[in-house]
Amino acid sequence: MAYRFQYVMTRALPAAFLLLLALAPLPASPPDPALTYDELLEHADKAKFQGNAEEALDCVAAAHKLRPDGLAATLKVEQLIQAGMPDHITPATLAALPVSVSDIGGGLGSVASVNAYLPCKTQEPQHDWTFDHETCVYLKPVKATDNELKLFCRVHYTVPGDQRLAERTGSLLAIAHQAWAQKTGAPTANGDTPFNVWLCRGGQSGGEQWRDNLYLYDLDASRSSIEWVREIIHEYSHLAVPAIGGYTDPEYWANGYLGERLIVRWIQRTPGMPTLVEKAWGDFSGAPNFDRLLIAPAIALYKKTGPSKAWLSKRDDLGMRYFIGQMLTVDDKYGPRTLAAAFRQLPRFREAKPEDMAAAVAEVLPAPKPGKHSQSARKPAKDPGSATP
């Protein structure tokens, strides 16, 4: 038995580890500028064989830049792009590809739409619908040591005429992500995993989140600009904001409605960000109406009712509005970082409920200053035992 253990530890495991290393794709590295056109194509073939599509694309892009009229490099570039844009890319490689590149603004990153003559056929996973065109959103890593861009999301669409909508949607999602990161100082619930957005010509008007996919249906349905903004950020919030569920109306999960209200107001409160939305999306003038119709009533309901376990346990539309009003009040009084700290306290091995979030907020609130008495110490709360702020 001892011999067998020693063999496994000293010979079998190291051999298996070396095999895994041999099979794993090698990390991408910039092509050697001294390589010739043919050598770059040879390196691209080797990288592709080893499963390193990013390095393969770097090499064929460099070859195409050396010889723009070279048919071999052009064909290889097109084949690699149609197989899928990479998760990491340098601005130099991006500029050499047959894609339309635009800047999001604010130093966030770039949006790249594959040229329409190169169909990128992709089947979405819920309805098995096929999409022919793709726009990729690349963001600059926060702590990057080089100029490499990282994929944030892919936006798929069926007709070339939807390219501009895909680019606007991708840019708005990037700004929403930046608003969350800047205000909370915390990662989103889905981390840095790229996700897919599907712009659907059919379906019932509205949006939907399914796993790591966001759907926007019936693109021709009449929507105001602020309704588009709200809908896009709402669906993204189902990925970004920790899930808090249990409602019967207007939908089971509260993180979509909570996230849209938090992120839109954070955008409004961040200097320069409304202008960024105007540049990327085209119109943010409906924000005051958003505040009047969706934010003010929720805050007013919570202010009128006060901390109440009975209200927090309501699972209808009014109960969700009360809960959102409570969270908006916490945001106003203690700031987004307190909300982020509370989100981190939510249960991970069961479904989180509104009561869990209220308890988490109470847990992370700053301690009262010495000599000061809380309101509950001066006067009994309306609902005894309530843990809400």
Side-chain angles (χ1 to χ4, degrees):
M1 181 67 70
Y3 172 77
R4 182 178 298 175
F5 176 79
Q6 183 179 4
Y7 173 80
V8 170
M9 295 302 294
T10 61
R11 301 185 64 179
L13 286 180
F17 179 69
L18 290 174
L19 178 62
L20 287 174
L21 285 179
L23 295 175
L26 296 175
S29 56
D32 187 341
L35 294 177
T36 66
Y37 178 84
D38 292 331
E39 288 171 336
L40 284 167
L41 294 182
E42 183 180 351
H43 276 257
D45 289 338
K46 289 181 180 178
K48 183 179 179 182
F49 177 77
Q50 293 171 339
N52 198 328
E54 293 170 11
E55 185 170 344
L57 190 58
D58 285 340
C59 289
V60 295
H64 180 70
K65 189 175 181 180
L66 276 179
R67 196 185 299 174
D69 59 345
L71 182 59
T74 299
L75 290 176
K76 288 181 183 294
V77 165
E78 293 177 352
Q79 289 168 359
L80 286 170
I81 287 179
Q82 287 183 285
M85 292 283 283
D87 286 357
H88 298 85
I89 197 167
T90 64
T93 295
L94 195 60
L97 302 181
V99 299
S100 173
V101 182
S102 57
D103 181 55
I104 298 171
L108 298 185
S110 300
V111 176
S113 297
V114 179
N115 289 349
Y117 68 84
L118 289 175
C120 301
K121 289 192 176 294
T122 310
Q123 197 169 33
E124 57 80 31
Q126 185 178 192
H127 313 288
D128 294 330
W129 296 338
T130 299
F131 291 71
D132 296 320
H133 305 282
E134 180 178 281
T135 292
C136 292
V137 181
Y138 288 99
L139 302 183
K140 295 179 180 178
V142 177
K143 298 181 180 179
T145 56
D146 53 26
N147 62 350
E148 188 176 67
L149 301 170
K150 187 180 187 305
L151 181 67
F152 173 62
C153 70
R154 304 175 191 271
V155 186
H156 307 269
Y157 47 104
T158 57
V159 296
D162 289 335
Q163 176 181 326
R164 181 61 188 135
L165 177 60
E167 292 169 349
R168 294 168 66 208
T169 299
S171 297
L172 181 61
L173 287 166
I175 295 168
H177 175 78
Q178 175 65 10
W180 173 276
Q182 189 170 330
K183 288 295 185 180
T184 67
T188 53
N190 66 320
D192 59 354
T193 304
F195 58 93
N196 292 288
V197 183
W198 308 91
L199 301 184
C200 308
R201 286 259 132 223
Q204 186 175 355
S205 181
E208 182 183 19
Q209 173 261 332
W210 189 77
R211 297 179 181 173
D212 59 347
N213 300 273
L214 306 182
Y215 293 83
L216 296 172
Y217 297 110
D218 192 12
L219 302 183
D220 290 327
S222 178
R223 299 171 175 91
S224 66
S225 182
I226 192 61
E227 175 59 19
W228 266 114
V229 170
R230 187 207 66 79
E231 195 169 289
I232 291 168
I233 295 180
H234 175 100
E235 299 309 331
Y236 175 64
S237 295
H238 281 299
L239 294 178
V241 182
I244 300 169
Y247 288 96
T248 59
D249 196 50
E251 60 185 26
Y252 190 87
W253 301 105
N255 54 345
Y257 286 105
L258 174 61
E260 73 179 40
R261 286 151 169 83
L262 287 172
I263 292 174
V264 169
R265 75 183 332 212
W266 290 343
I267 288 173
Q268 294 182 73
R269 293 175 173 184
T270 304
M273 202 164 274
T275 303
L276 197 59
V277 173
E278 293 279 356
K279 174 183 179 295
W281 178 255
D283 181 18
F284 196 46
S285 61
N289 281 338
F290 181 95
D291 294 345
R292 180 174 59 84
L293 296 174
L294 298 178
I295 290 181
I299 294 176
L301 175 62
Y302 180 74
K303 183 178 180 181
K304 176 183 177 181
T305 307
S308 168
K309 281 189 175 181
W311 270 88
L312 199 60
S313 66
K314 288 179 179 289
R315 294 295 184 260
D316 57 6
D317 177 76
L318 208 56
M320 185 183 290
R321 186 188 305 175
Y322 172 86
F323 170 67
I324 290 173
Q326 177 192 4
M327 295 301 108
L328 292 172
T329 302
V330 172
D331 181 47
D332 278 335
K333 191 172 181 180
Y334 300 103
R337 307 254 166 160
T338 296
L339 280 176
F343 283 134
R344 290 195 292 270
Q345 299 289 330
L346 289 175
R348 293 289 182 266
F349 300 104
R350 65 170 174 82
E351 181 179 293
K353 301 294 185 182
E355 293 87 344
D356 295 317
M357 186 60 184
V361 168
E363 182 71 22
V364 302
L365 286 181
K369 294 181 179 180
K372 298 290 184 179
H373 298 285
S374 65
Q375 181 181 5
S376 59
R378 295 194 306 269
K379 185 173 64 174
K382 294 181 181 178
D383 189 347
S386 175
T388 54

